[in-house]
């Protein structure tokens, strides 16, 4: 819920002595699954990096805390914890409204912290580039993803030849340089500092868990690849996680050796995970359904009844529902993969997640 700028600015409990032109508002903080809800906290749509610095120095002088907030598309109480009261001296800086541009620089992309992965990947895909690896959802900010060392799946297959300038690992592993707000001893103030990947001090900023404020990042991109995505739901965990001496064709380690990029979703109280495998395939295999759009597992985003109802009951504390929930979501996945022709697809990674 938003409270109008005028009333917020004049509220008795408004953040004190704010720098000129900063007009915060109150907003209910609610994360993706609604498990973290905090009373209407003071929030502000920060306009640029210099404003973040100004507000860091203001917060330091006035006993307040600033926290970066992206799309709140997570589960962890990193930005604020459940039940944070409206009186908390915390100002949330929403980066998604104004700090959301990017541009290519050679084979790297320079992005402001609040750009969504959807926009970022679309921008580089238009220039025939991509990332080897990124989280499944695209409505997350690049800085929010870096804060948690966000990942998709990106190991090279055995014998795979790395493309020129390509890299593997989490998105944090693609960082060439980043700019963060840091404390400057000499001036006794917060200021902006750009760290290169070769600088040992960059380490904590690559996975800061939100205890830093990034304003801009420069990431390595790869030339665009084509992938074949295959999924299975009939392999048991005994075969998948077999000991090395018993590992067969369907063991996770064999799959990683064969294709490198493998994801597993193992629903609670079931024994056959949803296996997703992405294989570099420059030509479309005849049996693969072509797709050029992202989000090819719509059922995973909009779970059909009764899955959401069961999930709601589990979240509400009825843990005894968990086995029924696991079985329902497994059955939904197995059926939907078949009915939506999503068991074997061939795609360019045009945006976040062909998953
Ligand atoms: C349904 C679902 C599926 C997901 N799938 C994946 C997945 O496949 N792979 C994966 O890796 N993750 C996945 N995630 C997790 C997601 O990537 C993280 O929760 C991510 O942090 C969300 O980004 P956000 O922009 O919403 O950040 P927010 O939730 O708003 O913030 C998360 C953290 O990032 C910090 N932060 C935000 N902006 C900045 C900044 N400018 N500087 C420093 N810190 C900042 C915040 O302070 C906070 O600590 C998933 C989450 C959900 C809900």
């Amino acid at each position: 819920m938003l409270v109008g700028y005028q009333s917020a600015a004049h509220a008795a409990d408004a953040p004190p002595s704010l720098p000129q032109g900063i007009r915060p508002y109150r907003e209910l903080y609610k994360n993706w699954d609604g498990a973290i809800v905090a009373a209407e906290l003071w929030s502000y749509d920060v306009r640029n990096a210099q404003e973040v610095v100004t507000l860091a120095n203001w917060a330091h002088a006035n006993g307040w805390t600033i926290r970066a907030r992206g799309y709140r598309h997570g589960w962890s109480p990193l930005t604020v914890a459940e039940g944070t009261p409206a009186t908390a001296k915390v100002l949330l800086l929403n980066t998604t409204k104004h700090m959301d541009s990017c541009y290519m620089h050679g084979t790297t992309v320079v992005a402001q912290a609040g750009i969504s992965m959807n926009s970022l990947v679309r921008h580089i895909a238009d220039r025939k580039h991509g990332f080897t690896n990124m989280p499944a959802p695209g409505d997350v900010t690049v800085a929010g993803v870096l804060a948690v060392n966000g990942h998709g799946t990106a190991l090279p297959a055995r014998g795979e030849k790395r493309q020129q300038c390509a890299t593997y690992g989490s998105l944090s592993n693609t960082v060439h340089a980043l700019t963060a707000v840091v404390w400057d001893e000499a001036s006794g103030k917060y200021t902006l500092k750009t760290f290169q990947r070769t600088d040992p001090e960059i380490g904590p900023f690559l996975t800061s868990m939100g205890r830093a404020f990034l304003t801009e990042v420069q990431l390595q991109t790869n030339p665009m690849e084509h992938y074949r995505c295959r999924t299975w739901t009939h392999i048991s965990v005994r075969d998948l996680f077999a000991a090395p001496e018993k590992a067969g064709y369907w063991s996770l380690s064999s799959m990683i050796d064969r294709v490198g990029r493998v994801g597993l979703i193992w629903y609670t109280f079931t024994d056959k995970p949803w296996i997703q495998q992405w294989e570099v395939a420059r030509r479309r295999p005849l049996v693969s359904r072509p797709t050029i759009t992202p989000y090819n597992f719509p059922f995973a985003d909009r779970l059909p009844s009764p899955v959401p109802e069961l999930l709601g009951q589990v979240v509400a504390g009825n843990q005894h529902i968990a086995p029924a929930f696991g079985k329902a979501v497994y059955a939904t996945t197995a059926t939907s993969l078949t009915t939506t022709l999503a068991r074997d697809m061939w795609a360019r990674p045009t945006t976040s997640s062909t998953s």
Side-chain angles (χ1 to χ4, degrees):
M1 175 195 162
L2 293 181
V3 176
Y5 283 119
Q6 286 306 322
S7 57
H10 295 111
D13 60 350
S17 319
L18 276 168
Q20 215 175 7
I22 307 290
R23 311 184 79 185
Y25 54 90
R26 279 196 176 278
E27 187 182 31
L28 184 76
Y29 184 91
K30 192 171 174 193
N31 75 330
W32 179 77
D33 66 357
I36 302 174
V37 179
E40 286 107 44
L41 300 174
W42 286 107
S43 306
Y44 178 64
D45 299 338
V46 68
R47 285 174 290 200
N48 52 51
Q50 201 48 53
E51 235 180 36
V52 181
V53 174
T54 302
L55 284 165
N57 284 312
W58 162 83
H60 179 64
N62 288 278
W64 276 60
T65 299
I66 58 164
R67 287 264 181 266
R69 90 98 157 138
Y71 283 97
R72 301 170 292 185
H73 200 101
W75 292 278
S76 314
L78 293 174
T79 314
V80 287
E82 159 68 7
T84 301
T87 50
K89 290 185 174 183
V90 57
L91 178 62
L92 301 185
L93 301 189
N94 178 357
T95 58
T96 65
K97 296 272 169 66
H98 306 300
M99 294 179 66
D100 61 347
S101 65
C102 72
Y103 62 92
M104 286 291 283
H105 178 68
T107 61
T108 69
V109 62
V110 179
Q112 287 186 304
I115 193 169
S116 71
M117 287 301 291
N118 273 336
S119 303
L120 180 60
V121 176
R122 202 172 300 126
H123 182 88
I124 63 174
D126 286 347
R127 288 147 186 88
K128 302 222 174 319
H129 279 249
F131 296 117
T132 312
N133 172 28
M134 60 202 141
D139 49 351
V140 287
T141 59
V142 67
V145 172
L146 294 174
V148 300
N149 198 18
H151 58 275
T153 168
L155 289 169
R158 196 164 267 194
E160 180 178 326
K161 217 165 157 255
R162 192 160 57 91
Q163 288 197 81
Q164 201 183 7
C165 77
T167 186
Y168 300 99
S170 69
L171 202 72
S172 296
N173 199 41
T174 68
V175 172
H176 261 264
L178 56 80
T179 303
V181 179
V182 298
W183 181 253
D184 178 45
E185 284 294 345
S187 62
K189 284 185 177 162
Y190 283 101
T191 184
L192 289 175
K193 183 170 177 184
T194 298
F195 297 86
Q196 299 301 320
R197 186 51 182 255
T198 45
D199 183 344
E201 287 193 324
I202 200 173
F205 295 102
L206 294 174
T207 309
S208 72
M209 308 305 282
R211 291 306 173 265
F213 207 120
L214 310 190
T215 57
E216 190 175 273
V217 296
Q218 184 180 3
L219 308 176
Q220 180 65 53
T221 68
N222 299 342
M224 180 87 84
E225 276 288 16
H226 289 72
Y227 287 98
R228 179 185 193 183
C229 174
R230 279 185 289 173
T231 70
W232 297 278
T233 47
H234 69 290
I235 309 301
S236 85
V237 287
R238 279 182 306 282
D239 294 330
L240 267 174
F241 304 127
E245 61 279 10
K246 292 191 180 153
Y249 183 84
W250 287 110
S251 74
L252 181 58
S253 64
S254 306
M255 278 191 267
I256 290 172
D257 283 349
R258 280 198 297 280
V259 299
R261 299 134 179 99
V262 183
L264 301 180
I265 298 182
W266 186 0
Y267 300 122
T268 181
F269 295 101
T270 63
D271 64 356
K272 295 188 186 101
W274 173 12
I275 305 170
Q276 306 165 351
Q277 178 181 291
W278 293 269
E279 183 178 359
V280 176
R282 298 198 171 119
R283 286 175 188 279
R284 179 173 76 85
L286 279 178
V287 289
S288 300
R289 175 170 72 82
T291 173
I292 52 162
T293 54
Y295 304 115
N296 289 284
F297 302 128
F299 59 89
D301 300 322
R302 287 180 294 282
L303 294 166
S305 190
V307 180
E309 291 81 354
L310 290 170
L311 178 59
Q313 290 194 43
V314 176
V315 172
N318 297 314
Q319 282 93 349
H320 65 280
I321 306 285
F325 169 72
K327 286 183 175 57
V329 74
Y330 169 80
T332 299
T333 301
T335 308
S336 304
L337 283 172
T338 304
T339 55
T340 60
L341 304 179
R343 286 194 177 268
D344 190 342
M345 296 178 286
W346 180 80
R348 284 190 323 170
T350 46
T351 187
S352 199
S353 174
T354 45
S355 72

